[in-house]
Amino acid sequence: GAVVSQHPSRVICKSGTSVKIECRSLDFQATTMFWYRQFPKQSLMLMATSNEGSKATYEQGVEKDKFLINHASLTLSTLTVTSAHPEDSSFYICSARPQGEVQPQHFGDGTRLSIL
Amino acid sequence: GQQLNQSPQSMFIQEGEDVSMNCTSSSIFNTWLWYKQDPGEGPVLLIALYKAGELTSNGRLTAQFGITRKDSFLNISASIPSDVGIYFCMGAQKLVFGQGTRLTINP
């Protein structure tokens, strides 16, 4: 089945640091990838849609300069949390949809980000 | 952001019992998806529904796409310990998740 790999699985860093999270589709090409954030005991909230070769589309309330998204190839999207602060601590999850398919998405295993 | 109304929010059952959860929305969806999330991991797809009225099974799991296209339910029969986790519905094309149903099984 479709596999999505997310790296790193856990990051602990100091306030002010920028953190990059990678999302790779291992056995399929994805023109579209999605980035979600999940706070403890809450559901997943879509942050942005990553489009290969073009700018990402951000959901309302998500700062595009804070959460930089790059989708340079059909198998890789990156999310960079710039100048991270404790309130950015969360579980970040990516998903990818095989090219040509409407649904469903396949999710990575998430990245636990802890900002001290 | 927009969310689906998923219920119940939590369930505490005995092993072997059947489980039922549902999602409703004021909006119409073309696709309903059901995912399970274990602690510290990403969601895993359980069942995908593409047609109003569709009833689909995956082992002990059965899900239905409501005829109005505004709701869906998921049933788990004869629950076992590995069914523990959080179950999410998702209305596709709008990428909206339900609030989740946390399933706990008492041995």
Side-chain angles (χ1 to χ4, degrees):
Chain A
V3 177
V4 175
S5 174
Q6 195 171 333
H7 178 81
S9 59
R10 186 176 181 103
V11 180
I12 302 173
C13 57
K14 294 181 179 180
S15 183
T17 306
S18 292
V19 178
K20 180 185 284 189
I21 303 170
E22 292 186 348
C23 181
R24 293 180 185 273
S25 55
L26 297 186
D27 53 357
F28 64 94
Q29 294 184 328
T31 52
T32 307
M33 293 185 175
F34 306 91
W35 288 96
Y36 294 83
R37 182 166 52 185
Q38 184 179 33
F39 291 107
K41 298 188 178 181
Q42 294 187 23
S43 186
L44 287 77
M45 296 299 293
L46 180 66
M47 298 174 65
T49 301
S50 172
N51 304 298
E52 188 267 335
S54 64
K55 292 182 179 180
T57 305
Y58 290 82
E59 295 300 300
Q60 190 173 8
V62 178
E63 300 175 56
K64 62 180 181 181
D65 295 330
K66 173 76 172 178
F67 299 100
L68 300 178
I69 292 173
N70 183 277
H71 193 153
S73 77
L74 287 171
T75 59
L76 174 64
S77 175
T78 61
L79 169 68
T80 300
V81 184
T82 61
S83 187
H85 293 285
E87 59 267 27
D88 298 322
S89 298
S90 187
F91 193 51
Y92 292 86
I93 308 174
C94 72
S95 71
R97 195 162 58 194
Q99 192 174 9
E101 293 185 21
V102 176
Q103 291 293 342
Q105 302 173 51
H106 301 275
F107 286 84
D109 277 340
T111 296
R112 174 76 58 193
L113 176 61
S114 300
I115 308 298
L116 305 177
Chain B
Q2 181 184 4
Q3 281 196 319
L4 302 175
N5 295 317
Q6 185 173 346
S7 65
Q9 292 188 21
S10 60
M11 300 185 73
F12 299 85
I13 64 170
Q14 298 293 125
E15 183 177 350
E17 288 185 18
D18 295 343
V19 173
S20 184
M21 61 192 77
N22 69 84
C23 275
T24 61
S25 172
S26 58
S27 302
I28 290 175
F29 289 100
N30 293 329
T31 304
W32 283 92
L33 306 170
W34 284 93
Y35 289 88
K36 177 175 182 269
Q37 185 180 27
D38 291 328
E41 298 183 13
V44 174
L45 181 68
L46 299 175
I47 292 180
L49 302 162
Y50 299 104
K51 188 177 177 181
E54 179 182 355
L55 182 70
T56 298
S57 293
N58 178 7
R60 294 177 296 106
L61 277 62
T62 302
Q64 183 157 29
F65 192 146
I67 197 69
T68 64
R69 293 199 284 156
K70 293 182 179 181
D71 63 309
S72 177
F73 72 74
L74 174 71
N75 288 341
I76 306 173
S77 62
S79 59
I80 60 177
S82 61
D83 291 334
V84 167
I86 304 176
Y87 293 80
F88 291 102
C89 61
M90 182 188 192
Q93 94 256 15
K94 293 181 182 177
L95 305 177
V96 177
F97 275 93
Q99 300 98 324
T101 297
R102 184 180 296 272
L103 179 62
T104 303
I105 297 177
N106 300 317

